[in-house]
Amino acid sequence: MLSLTDVVILQDGFRLSADFSISTGQRVAVIGPSGAGKSTLVNAICGFVDVSAGTIALQSTDITKAMPSERDMAILFQDNNLFAHLSITQNVGLGIRPAMRLSVAENEVVANALSRVGLDGFGTRKPGALSGGQQSRAALARALVQSKPWMILDEPFAALGPALRAEMLDLVAEVATETGAGVLMVTHAPEDARRIADTVIFVADGVAHAPVATAELLDNPPPALKAYLG
Amino acid sequence: MARSAFQISPRLGASAAVLIAALILSALGAVVSRATSDFVLSPADWAAVRFTIWQAFLSATFSCLLAVFVARALARRRFWGRGLLITLLGAPFILPVIVAVLGLLAIFGRSGILNDVLGLIGLQSVSIYGLQGVVLAHVFFNLPLVTRLLLQGWQSIPAERFRLVAQLGMPPRMVFGLIEWPLILRIIPGAFALVFVICLTSFAVALTLGGGPRATTIELAIYQAFRFDFDLSRAAYLSVLQLGVAGAAAVVALWLIPSVGLGGGLDRMQKRWDVRGGASRLRDTIVIGFAAAFLILPLSAVLVSGLRGLADVPPSVWASAWTSTWVALLSTIVLLALALPMAGWIATSRRTSVEAVGLLGLAASPLMIGTGWFILIHPFVNPADWALTVTIVVNAMMALPFALRILVPSLRDSAQAYGRLSAGLGLGGIRLWAWVLIPRGRTQIGFAAGLTAALSVGDLGVIALFADPDRATLPLQMYRLMGSYWTEAASGAALILLVLALGLFWIMDYWGRRNAIVD
């Protein structure tokens, strides 16, 4: 269970409040107009943005002040998901532990993860030699080896074409199923939410609303969401 | 971004900064305590103050003025050897002062080429000693530096501007007013300030080409009070004076000094359509020719006389060359140990005031620090035993402002691009350096290390205060040979020093560039 209790985020005159919880293993999409605070919300959950009030808790542990790496979350950003100067294997290996040399067993885990996301034989390459879709796959492979209870995605596939994006979302769902992780994903595309999410958090007018079942929300949108969906 | 996004701990960086401040302030405290209030500055001391400021002003003025012409000509003309000439413009910055002085003496000295030519056509010979020599040497060092800073500016002019200018058929005079003059106004104040501050603390040039009542800088006066009269309180008083003059200038310059460029890509040539005219081509050719000769002739003289003198080099020179090498290497290690954590701290701190600590080194002159530490340690130990240690630390401190200017932008980029990813993966502390910051900054780290090694190996400053006859770095040994008119051996030593300085720089810079990250 990931719960936000009376959370308030203040940033240069911008205010976002959130009070909801998501049960373990759920897949949740965060949608809303640009500038509404979708990214701010997940950044606060990941620990990149300080919350001004309220608590964030994972199971029953208060993680409001925890470091990002101590929050049991695997994170995929919009860009810069891979260190451009490290090989794909090294990038994925960082998900296991940041060591200069991995053990044979650990290397095998990395190789398996790469083959799982369809990147067999790409391990020695640098990210620059991969296409956008392949880079996303590599980042997912790392999430796979991290094997955290939560995967947080901040529009990581926004730059990909529709078909490729759908493919990546399916892969996210598969990875999540294998690791048993819950998914919290920011997106601006309602079809993404329909494809992967059980519930949707709608962010608008300074409030992150509690999650509502995806189909229910998107089929009968409240006025603010209707205005956004157009 | 929140505190947790960047995991570069400020603790190490802050400790390094505190250490630097403590080293400088302890020296300052020592000289202030020795500079008793009943001491009266002699007319000679005031003359030194006036001369210091005047020569720095002249040096900065001539360097900037001439650099505008040279840079403009270089930016407009495409010719064979242009890339090589621009690379050579980087050389004086890492050239040991005493080597350059020897080269300048070969051209402009009493029996130099210039006076030979003047004698042939029946003109009076000119002397390189005194104000003109000091300024000449400073221009030799700083004209190329300012030229490179200006070329960086020219490079930053978008190509579309020149296309637009060509399309509209503007004459060169309008191009100058519209594009080039604003650029010059933007770069020259900082460049002038930088050269002025560098020349204020000039010691080796004044030691070799100045001297006497009319051409003594404060640094040189400190040295003389120290070495010849062993008048510690006078040296202390002059040190306070030096800090006042250079410190005030450095504080003013702090906000004006431009970033020190990496030097890559400066030989790129923009296509120009506005510079076809015959008269301007002739003028540019003359300007470039003079600049090239001014740069290349002294260096060639060092090479030629050095090769001839190499056989006459006594064993003491080789011994001091070895000393200089390890002093330079240790200096480089000390520098990196100080600069990397400080740069990491500065790069992730939103307060820019932190960087000021590093620039303190520019204001505190080496001889002032040397005098201060001498006063502190000489009641307890023999300062000569500490000559090399002090040299290592002071050289590292002198390179620190430049190293910070080089390192901070790269670390800032890494932190911006990968701060969140690193934090999310729990990369922090030493692991963050090993995995991200050092690999991504290695070009800059190599360059900063090379610069430090070259500056350190060629430094003739604080070592001259402390050393006894048994202990000498190569520049000091070379100065002694010059002082005893053993010209062949001095020339040979100059060549060895030149090779050492350029070689150390090249090796470290090459380490940085090899496998440099190209995203």
Side-chain angles (χ1 to χ4, degrees):
Chain A
M1 179 92 96
L2 172 68
S3 44
L4 283 72
T5 315
D6 300 324
V7 166
V8 176
I9 305 157
L10 291 174
Q11 270 190 335
D12 306 321
F14 171 83
R15 184 180 196 277
L16 182 72
S17 62
D19 184 71
F20 57 77
S21 51
I22 313 166
S23 36
T24 311
Q26 276 231 309
R27 289 170 200 167
V28 184
V30 181
I31 66 172
S34 39
K38 303 185 294 281
S39 288
T40 308
L41 176 70
V42 294
N43 273 330
I45 292 173
C46 297
F48 295 122
V49 169
D50 288 333
V51 301
S52 308
T55 53
I56 302 174
L58 206 57
Q59 314 308 7
S60 53
T61 319
D62 185 345
I63 56 163
T64 316
K65 300 261 181 262
M67 298 296 279
S69 56
E70 296 161 350
R71 295 190 179 211
D72 271 351
M73 296 166 181
I75 308 162
L76 269 75
F77 304 102
Q78 245 170 42
D79 41 44
N80 288 327
N81 275 305
L82 302 170
F83 292 106
H85 62 284
L86 300 180
S87 72
I88 296 301
T89 297
Q90 284 174 312
N91 266 295
V92 175
L94 282 174
I96 302 178
R97 66 189 171 94
M100 282 298 164
R101 292 177 67 93
L102 293 177
S103 71
V104 177
E106 285 166 333
N107 267 318
E108 200 164 316
V109 171
V110 170
N112 285 339
L114 282 177
S115 105
R116 177 66 193 81
V117 298
L119 287 181
D120 254 331
F122 284 84
T124 54
R125 299 202 196 175
K126 297 275 174 76
L130 267 58
S131 70
Q134 288 170 331
Q135 290 182 12
S136 298
R137 286 173 188 275
L140 273 174
R142 189 177 58 217
L144 195 61
V145 302
Q146 279 181 289
S147 181
K148 302 275 179 155
W150 286 96
M151 279 169 68
I152 315 285
L153 295 84
D154 187 0
E155 296 196 61
F157 313 128
L160 304 181
L164 198 51
R165 205 166 75 219
E167 209 181 305
M168 295 312 300
L169 288 173
D170 293 347
L171 190 57
V172 169
E174 287 168 31
V175 169
T177 308
E178 277 164 44
T179 59
V183 175
L184 185 69
M185 179 183 75
V186 175
T187 175
H188 56 261
E191 65 269 21
D192 284 4
R194 279 190 201 271
R195 190 164 194 106
I196 187 173
D198 313 317
T199 58
V200 171
I201 291 172
F202 179 53
V203 183
D205 303 322
V207 183
H209 298 277
V212 178
T214 308
E216 188 185 318
L217 184 75
L218 292 179
D219 293 342
N220 307 294
L225 180 56
K226 201 168 190 167
Y228 167 66
L229 294 174
Chain B
M1 222 17 50
R3 75 222 127 80
S4 43
F6 305 133
Q7 298 190 326
I8 301 179
S9 157
R11 222 176 312 140
L12 266 181
S15 316
V18 168
L19 181 67
I20 297 283
L23 287 174
I24 292 175
L25 292 178
S26 66
L28 179 64
V31 294
V32 168
S33 74
R34 260 316 182 95
T36 42
S37 56
D38 57 335
F39 189 82
V40 187
L41 282 178
S42 68
D45 296 332
W46 282 117
V49 174
R50 275 197 308 273
F51 178 78
T52 302
I53 295 172
W54 180 233
Q55 60 82 19
F57 174 79
L58 287 180
S59 304
T61 305
F62 281 120
S63 299
C64 291
L65 202 65
L66 296 174
V68 168
F69 290 103
V70 178
R72 186 158 184 253
L74 281 173
R76 303 205 296 188
R77 299 295 162 197
R78 191 191 295 263
F79 54 91
W80 185 85
R82 184 177 177 275
L84 186 69
L85 180 61
I86 289 175
T87 306
L88 261 183
L89 285 177
F93 198 70
I94 52 172
L95 198 65
V97 175
I98 189 134
V99 172
V101 165
L102 197 79
L104 289 171
L105 282 173
I107 307 299
F108 301 97
R110 193 170 304 145
S111 50
I113 294 172
L114 178 68
N115 277 329
D116 289 351
V117 173
L118 288 179
L120 272 180
I121 53 177
L123 287 174
Q124 272 237 291
S125 64
V126 292
S127 167
I128 193 178
Y129 294 101
L131 176 65
Q132 62 272 33
V134 171
V135 173
L136 180 80
H138 284 159
V139 171
F140 177 80
F141 283 107
N142 294 303
L143 169 63
L145 178 68
V146 181
T147 304
R148 283 174 68 91
L149 289 174
L150 282 169
L151 276 178
Q152 263 171 33
W154 250 281
Q155 213 98 70
S156 70
I157 299 175
E160 290 78 10
R161 289 280 170 78
F162 289 116
R163 282 185 204 152
L164 185 63
V165 157
Q167 216 266 315
L168 299 173
M170 283 186 193
R173 189 199 304 247
M174 272 184 82
V175 175
F176 183 75
L178 207 64
I179 298 179
E180 297 176 316
W181 181 241
L183 178 92
I184 292 168
L185 279 188
R186 185 161 56 82
I187 293 174
I188 284 296
F192 184 93
L194 179 65
V195 176
F196 186 75
V197 172
I198 290 176
C199 293
L200 275 183
T201 55
S202 170
F203 169 67
V205 166
L207 178 70
T208 45
L209 295 176
R214 282 188 303 151
T216 296
T217 59
I218 309 178
E219 284 290 89
L220 185 56
I222 297 173
Y223 170 76
Q224 286 166 348
F226 204 106
R227 257 339 246 202
F228 301 152
D229 313 330
F230 201 70
D231 185 346
L232 275 185
S233 53
R234 182 146 171 271
Y237 217 94
L238 287 163
S239 296
V240 176
L241 213 57
Q242 169 73 296
L243 186 73
V245 172
V251 167
V252 175
L254 184 64
W255 311 114
L256 295 171
I257 290 177
S259 65
V260 179
L262 255 177
L266 277 185
D267 51 346
R268 243 179 330 119
M269 177 80 197
Q270 277 173 326
K271 184 138 178 60
R272 299 276 294 263
W273 294 267
D274 56 308
V275 289
R276 301 201 173 272
S280 76
R281 161 164 300 172
L282 181 68
R283 207 180 48 217
D284 286 349
T285 309
I286 293 172
V287 167
I288 293 171
F290 264 105
F294 183 45
L295 195 64
I296 292 168
L297 284 180
L299 288 177
S300 317
V302 169
L303 280 181
V304 171
S305 65
L307 285 173
R308 228 182 285 145
L310 212 51
D312 293 322
V313 162
S316 64
V317 164
W318 292 107
S320 59
W322 167 240
T323 307
S324 273
T325 307
W326 63 258
V327 163
L329 291 176
L330 286 177
S331 253
T332 309
I333 292 169
V334 171
L335 171 96
L336 289 177
L338 291 170
L340 283 174
M342 276 183 80
W345 183 36
I346 294 167
T348 52
S349 156
R350 265 168 296 183
R351 282 168 307 160
T352 47
S353 55
V354 177
E355 200 170 348
V357 182
L359 290 158
L360 259 180
L362 266 185
S365 79
L367 289 208
M368 178 226 123
I369 294 174
T371 307
W373 289 354
F374 188 98
I375 291 169
L376 285 179
I377 65 176
H378 91 278
F380 310 106
V381 294
N382 175 13
D385 295 338
W386 288 77
L388 296 177
T389 314
V390 170
T391 304
I392 288 165
V393 176
V394 169
N395 284 345
M397 279 165 58
M398 293 304 125
L400 188 61
F402 298 105
L404 288 180
R405 289 265 151 162
I406 294 162
L407 294 172
V408 167
S410 133
L411 291 177
R412 200 169 270 152
D413 288 350
S414 290
Q416 241 145 38
Y418 296 111
R420 287 199 310 174
L421 177 58
S422 308
L425 290 169
L427 281 177
I430 194 82
R431 288 208 195 110
L432 183 64
W433 285 99
W435 277 93
V436 184
L437 299 178
I438 289 179
R440 297 202 67 81
R442 97 182 242 163
T443 317
Q444 287 76 15
I445 293 170
F447 181 62
L451 204 61
T452 308
L455 291 177
S456 180
V457 85
D459 176 71
L460 176 58
V462 73
I463 184 75
L465 274 191
F466 278 61
D468 55 22
D470 309 332
R471 257 168 292 242
T473 56
L474 186 51
L476 183 61
Q477 194 64 37
M478 192 187 143
Y479 174 65
R480 287 174 181 164
L481 290 171
M482 281 166 77
S484 57
Y485 297 102
W486 193 355
T487 314
E488 290 77 22
S491 303
L495 183 63
I496 298 168
L497 186 51
L498 181 70
V499 169
L500 265 184
L502 297 185
L504 284 172
F505 174 80
W506 186 83
I507 290 170
M508 294 185 193
D509 190 47
Y510 179 76
W511 171 85
R513 280 168 200 274
R514 196 179 48 114
N515 306 323
I517 291 157
V518 187
D519 290 342

